[in-house]
Every structure is written in C-alpha cells, then in structure tokens.
Amino acid sequence: MLDRSRTRQGHPEAEALRDTIDLARHAEALGYHRFWVSEHHSVPGVAGSAPTVLAAAVASATSRIRVGTGGVMLPNHRPLVVAEQFGVLEALFPGRIDMGLGRSVGFTDGIRRALGTDKEAAGSFASQLAELTAYFTDGPRPHPQVHARPAEGLRVPAFVLATGAGADIAARAGLALVIGDLRGREAMQATIDRYRSTFEPSPLWPHPYVIVSGTVAVAETPEEAHRLLLPEAWSMAYSRTHGVFPPLEPADSITAREPHLPPKQRAFYESALTGHIYGTESEVAAELDELLSQTGADEFLATTSTYDRGALLESYERLARVVALSGSGRPDRAAV
C-alpha cells in the first residue's frame, strides 16, 4: 500500500500525516505486506514532504509490516545522505525497511531552484543510483574513502519507480521495478518484458522483480466504488487547469460541480477517472487476476486517495478480502 498523505478540505495539513500512520496500522492488521510513503515538495494537497522521516514514524507505530518509500526522489538529494538515512532506518527497524527511489524533479521551476536542482537533473539518476547502492555493498564509488554509516553491509531492498527509461536503468542496476500506468497496459507490458530480458543481477537483487501499481477502489456497489475516485480526479483536473494541486474535497461537492465544468477541465477530469480498478469485490478480483496473469507481477501496489477516510479504510478491508490476505503469511500468488 502506498499513501501520499493527501490533505483534505477543512482539515489541517498535520492531520494528513496522522491519517497516514493510522492507515499503516490498519494495513498491518489486515495483513498487507508493505506500506510506503511518498515525497512531494511545495504541493498544497500533499503533506508528505519528508518520506524517510515519515517512514520512521510509521515503522515506530507498527511492528511487522515492511515500511518504505515510494519514493525518495534522488535528483533532490545527495546519495550519501540518502544511504545514511536508510542505514539508520534499517538499523532501528531491522528487516523491515524498503528503499524505493525515483527520478522525478520538482513540480515547478521555483521548487527546483529551492531544491538546488533543475529539469536536467533526472539525467544523472543512473549514476546517483549506482553511488547510492555502492554505499550498502561497498562497491566502487566516486569517493572510496567515504563510508555511509551505518548503511554499509546492511541489506535494504532497493526499488526503482519507473516508466520507460527508468525501467531500463533499473534493469542495468539490477534492482526491482515498480511500474504503474494502467491506462496504457500494452506499453507497460512491453516495458516489463524489456526489463526482465535485460536485467543484470546485483548484490541487492539476483533476479528481476516487478511490482505493478495502480489505484484500486472497492465498495458494496460499483457506483460507491466510483465515488471514491472523484476527489482525486477533480484535484488532478484542477491542477492541470490552474497549476495548483488542491486538497481533496467531498465527493458530493464534486458531483454538484460536474454539470458546470468547462470543456477543457471536463476532459482532464474524465481522463483522471480512467485506468483504475474499481467495483465490487468480485469485479475487482477478476480485474486483478487478469492484470497479474498478464504481467506476471510479483506484487501489486495499491494506492488510493479520497476524502472519506471511513470509505477508504473499508475499501482496503475489502481489497484484503479479495486477495485473502492474512497477517501470518503471504498469499500463494502475487503479494499485495
């Protein structure tokens, strides 16, 4: 499960972080295998700006579930500092930490300048990734006299959040791949196939490992499940037309606004409602089975944002029933 600590209209931003920790406790009780948090900077609708700090809080509030990042954006950081942070996490919570890494840069020019980076920084992702992982494996790196303590010698699984080019980097680096664009499944499958065929084993991953991610909403009826998608879809559409990513609003406010949407905003809104898996438990089970059979994914990462926290928790409870999870073991096929 990935939670982005989305803020909600009428609620303080700090509450979104507490909601994330509460959701992690529920995820552990339901038997989910991993709980990841994200990194966003200067985005009004997202409180999750410091993923390793939040991961530490989540790990402290839980006892068994694996905790990680989805992900730390390497262009925003120095590899040594990232290695030290994950080394500390793994030392404090041994065997429970995942290092999810991405190559995205800041949302706007102003954010990128504040972070001390630029649009071209993503081009250095491969070299940053190599330096970072070398601190754990004691491999070759630009500063051989420097050691990331206490990271060196610890085994922290590394995952690359990627689309096309990032998947190729993950294959060459010998790291696990996290990929998710369910609106373009043919292109996604081609990327997965290329990743597997070009994968080079590494000390961190001896074989290819694929996690497919997507939004999932499960409810008693398809209509109720669809309502869960409305707040995030509206927020996405608003950001595309106003340049601001707003806090989530109640679904009722959005349905009341639907008839009056300008054509351009309506197009973005309708696009944001596509490519998701939603419906009743049986409908979602069928879609997930088809997706996992097609991709051969090792795991599925579910990420869902909505205003109604009660409905969100119920959706994840229903999803847990769909895949028959238990707190004592992993399912027979792909883990969720």
Side-chain angles (χ1 to χ4, degrees):
M1 187 188 301
L2 168 67
D3 190 64
R4 294 192 296 131
S5 303
R6 290 288 274 115
T7 61
R8 294 182 293 156
Q9 188 180 70
H11 295 260
E13 290 189 344
E15 186 176 325
L17 299 173
R18 293 191 290 270
D19 286 343
T20 292
I21 293 173
D22 182 62
L23 183 60
R25 292 193 185 103
H26 279 84
E28 180 171 82
L30 291 168
Y32 282 84
H33 184 52
R34 309 181 195 273
F35 188 92
W36 287 359
V37 295
S38 63
E39 175 182 337
H40 296 271
H41 296 284
S42 192
V43 179
V46 184
S49 57
T52 54
V53 176
L54 185 53
V58 169
S60 295
T62 54
S63 60
R64 299 182 309 277
I65 195 168
R66 296 195 64 91
V67 178
T69 55
V72 166
M73 298 301 145
L74 269 187
N76 300 333
H77 309 278
R78 300 302 303 170
L80 172 63
V81 176
V82 176
E84 290 172 337
Q85 290 174 345
F86 279 97
V88 169
L89 285 170
E90 177 63 21
L92 293 173
F93 309 100
R96 295 183 56 206
I97 300 301
D98 296 329
M99 184 166 59
L101 307 162
R103 63 198 290 264
S104 296
V105 294
F107 187 57
T108 65
D109 288 337
I111 296 171
R112 290 189 288 271
R113 286 194 297 270
L115 290 169
T117 186
D118 53 39
K119 285 184 178 181
E120 287 69 43
S124 302
F125 180 66
S127 60
Q128 284 188 299
L129 196 60
E131 181 181 346
L132 170 60
T133 54
Y135 283 120
F136 288 90
T137 62
D138 198 23
R141 52 187 182 269
H143 314 286
Q145 74 281 10
V146 177
H147 299 266
R149 307 191 189 281
E152 195 170 291
L154 297 180
R155 294 192 62 82
V156 180
F159 305 77
V160 174
L161 283 65
T163 52
D168 297 334
I169 294 171
R172 291 194 300 270
L175 301 180
L177 173 68
V178 183
I179 184 169
D181 187 357
L182 302 186
R183 286 179 294 184
R185 296 199 185 185
E186 289 187 9
M188 182 181 70
Q189 186 64 53
T191 300
I192 291 173
D193 292 342
R194 189 173 69 251
Y195 161 78
R196 289 192 175 116
S197 66
T198 59
F199 183 86
E200 300 177 16
S202 75
L204 294 177
W205 288 95
H207 51 75
Y209 198 88
V210 176
I211 299 179
V212 172
S213 68
T215 297
V216 181
V218 197
E220 187 171 351
T221 67
E223 293 76 20
E224 290 178 69
H226 188 259
R227 275 177 60 84
L228 289 175
L229 304 175
L230 301 184
E232 182 74 7
W234 161 249
S235 189
M236 290 290 291
Y238 189 91
S239 72
R240 296 293 299 274
T241 52
H242 291 76
V244 176
F245 203 87
L248 299 176
E249 297 182 26
D252 287 343
S253 299
I254 296 160
T255 54
R257 190 183 290 118
E258 283 178 347
H260 313 292
L261 292 179
K264 185 177 181 180
Q265 200 166 60
R266 176 176 295 280
F268 285 130
Y269 176 64
E270 291 175 352
S271 175
L273 286 169
T274 63
H276 309 306
I277 295 175
Y278 71 93
T280 63
E281 292 178 29
S282 60
E283 290 170 336
V284 168
E287 281 202 66
L288 277 176
D289 187 64
E290 179 183 357
L291 176 65
L292 294 172
S293 297
Q294 174 191 350
T295 61
D298 299 281
E299 300 185 37
F300 182 85
L301 185 154
T303 174
T304 306
S305 299
T306 195
Y307 183 88
D308 188 334
R309 298 298 297 184
L312 178 66
L313 293 176
E314 180 185 339
S315 176
Y316 278 126
E317 290 169 3
R318 290 178 178 274
L319 179 58
R321 288 201 294 268
V322 163
V323 292
L325 292 179
S326 69
S328 59
R330 291 178 59 173
D332 293 335
R333 47 177 309 147
V336 177

mmCIF file of all heavy atoms in Angstrom, residues 163 167 177 179-197 210 212 290-297:
data_model
loop_
_atom_site.group_PDB
_atom_site.id
_atom_site.type_symbol
_atom_site.label_atom_id
_atom_site.label_comp_id
_atom_site.label_asym_id
_atom_site.label_seq_id
_atom_site.Cartn_x
_atom_site.Cartn_y
_atom_site.Cartn_z
ATOM 1 N N THR A 163 9.021 4.429 -15.440
ATOM 2 C CA THR A 163 8.207 4.178 -16.632
ATOM 3 C C THR A 163 9.135 3.569 -17.670
ATOM 4 O O THR A 163 9.675 2.506 -17.477
ATOM 5 C CB THR A 163 7.554 5.481 -17.123
ATOM 6 O OG1 THR A 163 8.569 6.495 -17.261
ATOM 7 C CG2 THR A 163 6.511 5.969 -16.122
ATOM 8 N N ALA A 167 12.910 2.184 -16.212
ATOM 9 C CA ALA A 167 12.900 0.720 -16.161
ATOM 10 C C ALA A 167 14.191 0.149 -16.726
ATOM 11 O O ALA A 167 14.723 -0.852 -16.223
ATOM 12 C CB ALA A 167 11.699 0.183 -16.926
ATOM 13 N N LEU A 177 11.706 -3.354 -9.953
ATOM 14 C CA LEU A 177 10.991 -2.352 -10.733
ATOM 15 C C LEU A 177 9.584 -2.162 -10.178
ATOM 16 O O LEU A 177 8.868 -3.135 -9.932
ATOM 17 C CB LEU A 177 10.898 -2.793 -12.196
ATOM 18 C CG LEU A 177 10.027 -1.935 -13.120
ATOM 19 C CD1 LEU A 177 10.652 -0.554 -13.333
ATOM 20 C CD2 LEU A 177 9.816 -2.633 -14.461
ATOM 21 N N ILE A 179 6.229 -0.186 -11.428
ATOM 22 C CA ILE A 179 5.705 0.473 -12.623
ATOM 23 C C ILE A 179 4.194 0.530 -12.543
ATOM 24 O O ILE A 179 3.551 -0.429 -12.099
ATOM 25 C CB ILE A 179 6.166 -0.262 -13.904
ATOM 26 C CG1 ILE A 179 5.712 0.478 -15.156
ATOM 27 C CG2 ILE A 179 5.699 -1.721 -13.916
ATOM 28 C CD1 ILE A 179 6.360 -0.043 -16.432
ATOM 29 N N GLY A 180 3.610 1.648 -12.986
ATOM 30 C CA GLY A 180 2.167 1.744 -12.919
ATOM 31 C C GLY A 180 1.599 2.765 -13.869
ATOM 32 O O GLY A 180 1.722 3.965 -13.638
ATOM 33 N N ASP A 181 1.014 2.314 -14.937
ATOM 34 C CA ASP A 181 0.210 3.163 -15.812
ATOM 35 C C ASP A 181 -0.824 2.247 -16.453
ATOM 36 O O ASP A 181 -0.641 1.753 -17.561
ATOM 37 C CB ASP A 181 1.053 3.862 -16.869
ATOM 38 C CG ASP A 181 0.226 4.886 -17.662
ATOM 39 O OD1 ASP A 181 -0.986 4.970 -17.396
ATOM 40 O OD2 ASP A 181 0.790 5.573 -18.525
ATOM 41 N N LEU A 182 -1.890 1.989 -15.703
ATOM 42 C CA LEU A 182 -2.873 1.004 -16.150
ATOM 43 C C LEU A 182 -3.696 1.485 -17.330
ATOM 44 O O LEU A 182 -4.462 0.709 -17.905
ATOM 45 C CB LEU A 182 -3.788 0.623 -14.977
ATOM 46 C CG LEU A 182 -3.072 0.042 -13.749
ATOM 47 C CD1 LEU A 182 -4.088 -0.441 -12.723
ATOM 48 C CD2 LEU A 182 -2.126 -1.079 -14.149
ATOM 49 N N ARG A 183 -3.529 2.767 -17.720
ATOM 50 C CA ARG A 183 -4.247 3.245 -18.910
ATOM 51 C C ARG A 183 -3.558 2.796 -20.192
ATOM 52 O O ARG A 183 -4.170 2.774 -21.247
ATOM 53 C CB ARG A 183 -4.353 4.772 -18.869
ATOM 54 C CG ARG A 183 -5.353 5.288 -17.855
ATOM 55 C CD ARG A 183 -5.403 6.786 -17.829
ATOM 56 N NE ARG A 183 -4.161 7.369 -17.343
ATOM 57 C CZ ARG A 183 -3.980 8.675 -17.151
ATOM 58 N NH1 ARG A 183 -4.944 9.519 -17.439
ATOM 59 N NH2 ARG A 183 -2.834 9.122 -16.685
ATOM 60 N N GLY A 184 -2.279 2.470 -20.098
ATOM 61 C CA GLY A 184 -1.546 2.010 -21.269
ATOM 62 C C GLY A 184 -0.920 0.658 -21.001
ATOM 63 O O GLY A 184 0.304 0.541 -20.863
ATOM 64 N N ARG A 185 -1.728 -0.368 -20.922
ATOM 65 C CA ARG A 185 -1.241 -1.673 -20.470
ATOM 66 C C ARG A 185 -0.307 -2.330 -21.481
ATOM 67 O O ARG A 185 0.611 -3.045 -21.089
ATOM 68 C CB ARG A 185 -2.416 -2.593 -20.156
ATOM 69 C CG ARG A 185 -3.267 -2.080 -18.993
ATOM 70 C CD ARG A 185 -4.128 -3.134 -18.384
ATOM 71 N NE ARG A 185 -4.998 -2.585 -17.355
ATOM 72 C CZ ARG A 185 -5.792 -3.313 -16.583
ATOM 73 N NH1 ARG A 185 -5.830 -4.623 -16.745
ATOM 74 N NH2 ARG A 185 -6.557 -2.739 -15.675
ATOM 75 N N GLU A 186 -0.519 -2.101 -22.758
ATOM 76 C CA GLU A 186 0.383 -2.697 -23.751
ATOM 77 C C GLU A 186 1.781 -2.124 -23.618
ATOM 78 O O GLU A 186 2.775 -2.853 -23.629
ATOM 79 C CB GLU A 186 -0.167 -2.478 -25.163
ATOM 80 C CG GLU A 186 -1.397 -3.310 -25.482
ATOM 81 C CD GLU A 186 -1.801 -3.175 -26.943
ATOM 82 O OE1 GLU A 186 -1.033 -2.571 -27.722
ATOM 83 O OE2 GLU A 186 -2.890 -3.674 -27.305
ATOM 84 N N ALA A 187 1.869 -0.800 -23.481
ATOM 85 C CA ALA A 187 3.177 -0.160 -23.314
ATOM 86 C C ALA A 187 3.816 -0.590 -21.999
ATOM 87 O O ALA A 187 5.031 -0.837 -21.940
ATOM 88 C CB ALA A 187 3.023 1.352 -23.364
ATOM 89 N N MET A 188 3.012 -0.696 -20.950
ATOM 90 C CA MET A 188 3.530 -1.133 -19.658
ATOM 91 C C MET A 188 4.078 -2.555 -19.753
ATOM 92 O O MET A 188 5.158 -2.860 -19.233
ATOM 93 C CB MET A 188 2.440 -1.062 -18.587
ATOM 94 C CG MET A 188 2.915 -1.462 -17.195
ATOM 95 S SD MET A 188 1.606 -1.402 -15.935
ATOM 96 C CE MET A 188 0.589 -2.807 -16.451
ATOM 97 N N GLN A 189 3.347 -3.427 -20.441
ATOM 98 C CA GLN A 189 3.800 -4.809 -20.588
ATOM 99 C C GLN A 189 5.099 -4.881 -21.377
ATOM 100 O O GLN A 189 6.002 -5.656 -21.031
ATOM 101 C CB GLN A 189 2.724 -5.649 -21.274
ATOM 102 C CG GLN A 189 3.053 -7.131 -21.352
ATOM 103 C CD GLN A 189 3.141 -7.762 -19.971
ATOM 104 O OE1 GLN A 189 2.227 -7.634 -19.171
ATOM 105 N NE2 GLN A 189 4.250 -8.433 -19.693
ATOM 106 N N ALA A 190 5.212 -4.072 -22.415
ATOM 107 C CA ALA A 190 6.447 -4.059 -23.206
ATOM 108 C C ALA A 190 7.629 -3.614 -22.364
ATOM 109 O O ALA A 190 8.741 -4.158 -22.481
ATOM 110 C CB ALA A 190 6.278 -3.142 -24.418
ATOM 111 N N THR A 191 7.402 -2.642 -21.503
ATOM 112 C CA THR A 191 8.463 -2.165 -20.616
ATOM 113 C C THR A 191 8.872 -3.252 -19.625
ATOM 114 O O THR A 191 10.059 -3.461 -19.365
ATOM 115 C CB THR A 191 8.006 -0.906 -19.859
ATOM 116 O OG1 THR A 191 7.682 0.118 -20.801
ATOM 117 C CG2 THR A 191 9.087 -0.399 -18.927
ATOM 118 N N ILE A 192 7.884 -3.949 -19.067
ATOM 119 C CA ILE A 192 8.177 -5.040 -18.121
ATOM 120 C C ILE A 192 8.969 -6.145 -18.815
ATOM 121 O O ILE A 192 9.950 -6.664 -18.268
ATOM 122 C CB ILE A 192 6.869 -5.592 -17.532
ATOM 123 C CG1 ILE A 192 6.223 -4.552 -16.608
ATOM 124 C CG2 ILE A 192 7.122 -6.891 -16.763
ATOM 125 C CD1 ILE A 192 4.839 -4.947 -16.112
ATOM 126 N N ASP A 193 8.539 -6.510 -20.027
ATOM 127 C CA ASP A 193 9.244 -7.568 -20.764
ATOM 128 C C ASP A 193 10.692 -7.168 -21.042
ATOM 129 O O ASP A 193 11.607 -7.991 -20.917
ATOM 130 C CB ASP A 193 8.514 -7.857 -22.080
ATOM 131 C CG ASP A 193 7.153 -8.495 -21.857
ATOM 132 O OD1 ASP A 193 6.912 -9.024 -20.752
ATOM 133 O OD2 ASP A 193 6.327 -8.448 -22.792
ATOM 134 N N ARG A 194 10.898 -5.913 -21.434
ATOM 135 C CA ARG A 194 12.254 -5.447 -21.706
ATOM 136 C C ARG A 194 13.095 -5.442 -20.427
ATOM 137 O O ARG A 194 14.278 -5.807 -20.449
ATOM 138 C CB ARG A 194 12.206 -4.045 -22.329
ATOM 139 C CG ARG A 194 13.561 -3.569 -22.852
ATOM 140 C CD ARG A 194 13.433 -2.265 -23.608
ATOM 141 N NE ARG A 194 13.093 -1.139 -22.754
ATOM 142 C CZ ARG A 194 11.915 -0.533 -22.757
ATOM 143 N NH1 ARG A 194 10.942 -0.940 -23.568
ATOM 144 N NH2 ARG A 194 11.685 0.492 -21.956
ATOM 145 N N TYR A 195 12.488 -5.029 -19.326
ATOM 146 C CA TYR A 195 13.190 -5.033 -18.043
ATOM 147 C C TYR A 195 13.654 -6.443 -17.683
ATOM 148 O O TYR A 195 14.812 -6.655 -17.317
ATOM 149 C CB TYR A 195 12.271 -4.477 -16.951
ATOM 150 C CG TYR A 195 12.678 -4.825 -15.531
ATOM 151 C CD1 TYR A 195 13.716 -4.147 -14.889
ATOM 152 C CD2 TYR A 195 12.026 -5.849 -14.829
ATOM 153 C CE1 TYR A 195 14.083 -4.475 -13.586
ATOM 154 C CE2 TYR A 195 12.395 -6.173 -13.536
ATOM 155 C CZ TYR A 195 13.427 -5.489 -12.918
ATOM 156 O OH TYR A 195 13.793 -5.835 -11.639
ATOM 157 N N ARG A 196 12.769 -7.413 -17.830
ATOM 158 C CA ARG A 196 13.129 -8.788 -17.473
ATOM 159 C C ARG A 196 14.223 -9.335 -18.398
ATOM 160 O O ARG A 196 15.142 -10.016 -17.944
ATOM 161 C CB ARG A 196 11.887 -9.679 -17.540
ATOM 162 C CG ARG A 196 10.875 -9.429 -16.422
ATOM 163 C CD ARG A 196 9.828 -10.534 -16.392
ATOM 164 N NE ARG A 196 8.913 -10.379 -15.263
ATOM 165 C CZ ARG A 196 7.607 -10.153 -15.378
ATOM 166 N NH1 ARG A 196 7.059 -10.046 -16.588
ATOM 167 N NH2 ARG A 196 6.851 -10.027 -14.313
ATOM 168 N N SER A 197 14.125 -9.038 -19.675
ATOM 169 C CA SER A 197 15.079 -9.617 -20.634
ATOM 170 C C SER A 197 16.465 -8.999 -20.536
ATOM 171 O O SER A 197 17.454 -9.617 -20.928
ATOM 172 C CB SER A 197 14.541 -9.469 -22.060
ATOM 173 O OG SER A 197 14.468 -8.096 -22.427
ATOM 174 N N VAL A 210 9.154 -7.502 -10.154
ATOM 175 C CA VAL A 210 8.249 -6.491 -10.700
ATOM 176 C C VAL A 210 7.076 -6.250 -9.761
ATOM 177 O O VAL A 210 6.398 -7.199 -9.333
ATOM 178 C CB VAL A 210 7.709 -6.918 -12.084
ATOM 179 C CG1 VAL A 210 6.680 -5.905 -12.597
ATOM 180 C CG2 VAL A 210 8.856 -7.053 -13.077
ATOM 181 N N VAL A 212 3.623 -4.031 -9.923
ATOM 182 C CA VAL A 212 2.717 -3.198 -10.714
ATOM 183 C C VAL A 212 1.851 -2.404 -9.743
ATOM 184 O O VAL A 212 1.334 -2.962 -8.773
ATOM 185 C CB VAL A 212 1.839 -4.056 -11.643
ATOM 186 C CG1 VAL A 212 0.768 -3.204 -12.307
ATOM 187 C CG2 VAL A 212 2.702 -4.738 -12.694
ATOM 188 N N GLU A 290 -6.745 -10.813 -13.894
ATOM 189 C CA GLU A 290 -6.353 -10.623 -15.295
ATOM 190 C C GLU A 290 -5.041 -9.846 -15.394
ATOM 191 O O GLU A 290 -4.135 -10.215 -16.169
ATOM 192 C CB GLU A 290 -7.455 -9.869 -16.038
ATOM 193 C CG GLU A 290 -7.127 -9.600 -17.506
ATOM 194 C CD GLU A 290 -8.195 -8.778 -18.203
ATOM 195 O OE1 GLU A 290 -9.218 -8.456 -17.570
ATOM 196 O OE2 GLU A 290 -7.994 -8.441 -19.383
ATOM 197 N N LEU A 291 -4.910 -8.775 -14.592
ATOM 198 C CA LEU A 291 -3.710 -7.950 -14.634
ATOM 199 C C LEU A 291 -2.475 -8.730 -14.182
ATOM 200 O O LEU A 291 -1.424 -8.688 -14.831
ATOM 201 C CB LEU A 291 -3.902 -6.719 -13.744
ATOM 202 C CG LEU A 291 -2.691 -5.797 -13.610
ATOM 203 C CD1 LEU A 291 -2.351 -5.151 -14.942
ATOM 204 C CD2 LEU A 291 -2.946 -4.732 -12.542
ATOM 205 N N LEU A 292 -2.598 -9.466 -13.094
ATOM 206 C CA LEU A 292 -1.456 -10.213 -12.563
ATOM 207 C C LEU A 292 -1.077 -11.367 -13.483
ATOM 208 O O LEU A 292 0.107 -11.691 -13.640
ATOM 209 C CB LEU A 292 -1.764 -10.711 -11.160
ATOM 210 C CG LEU A 292 -1.940 -9.617 -10.101
ATOM 211 C CD1 LEU A 292 -2.424 -10.209 -8.785
ATOM 212 C CD2 LEU A 292 -0.645 -8.854 -9.889
ATOM 213 N N SER A 293 -2.069 -11.985 -14.106
ATOM 214 C CA SER A 293 -1.774 -13.057 -15.052
ATOM 215 C C SER A 293 -1.069 -12.512 -16.285
ATOM 216 O O SER A 293 -0.137 -13.135 -16.816
ATOM 217 C CB SER A 293 -3.066 -13.766 -15.462
ATOM 218 O OG SER A 293 -3.679 -14.384 -14.353
ATOM 219 N N GLN A 294 -1.496 -11.346 -16.749
ATOM 220 C CA GLN A 294 -0.910 -10.742 -17.941
ATOM 221 C C GLN A 294 0.525 -10.307 -17.686
ATOM 222 O O GLN A 294 1.416 -10.550 -18.506
ATOM 223 C CB GLN A 294 -1.741 -9.535 -18.376
ATOM 224 C CG GLN A 294 -1.117 -8.746 -19.534
ATOM 225 C CD GLN A 294 -1.823 -7.417 -19.757
ATOM 226 O OE1 GLN A 294 -2.875 -7.144 -19.191
ATOM 227 N NE2 GLN A 294 -1.233 -6.570 -20.572
ATOM 228 N N THR A 295 0.767 -9.651 -16.570
ATOM 229 C CA THR A 295 2.080 -9.064 -16.316
ATOM 230 C C THR A 295 3.042 -10.022 -15.628
ATOM 231 O O THR A 295 4.258 -9.822 -15.681
ATOM 232 C CB THR A 295 1.948 -7.813 -15.438
ATOM 233 O OG1 THR A 295 1.361 -8.185 -14.168
ATOM 234 C CG2 THR A 295 1.071 -6.757 -16.110
ATOM 235 N N GLY A 296 2.509 -11.046 -14.948
ATOM 236 C CA GLY A 296 3.355 -11.926 -14.154
ATOM 237 C C GLY A 296 4.004 -11.194 -12.998
ATOM 238 O O GLY A 296 5.097 -11.570 -12.537
ATOM 239 N N ALA A 297 3.368 -10.132 -12.504
ATOM 240 C CA ALA A 297 3.944 -9.303 -11.448
ATOM 241 C C ALA A 297 4.128 -10.102 -10.163
ATOM 242 O O ALA A 297 3.341 -10.993 -9.833
ATOM 243 C CB ALA A 297 3.049 -8.099 -11.183
#
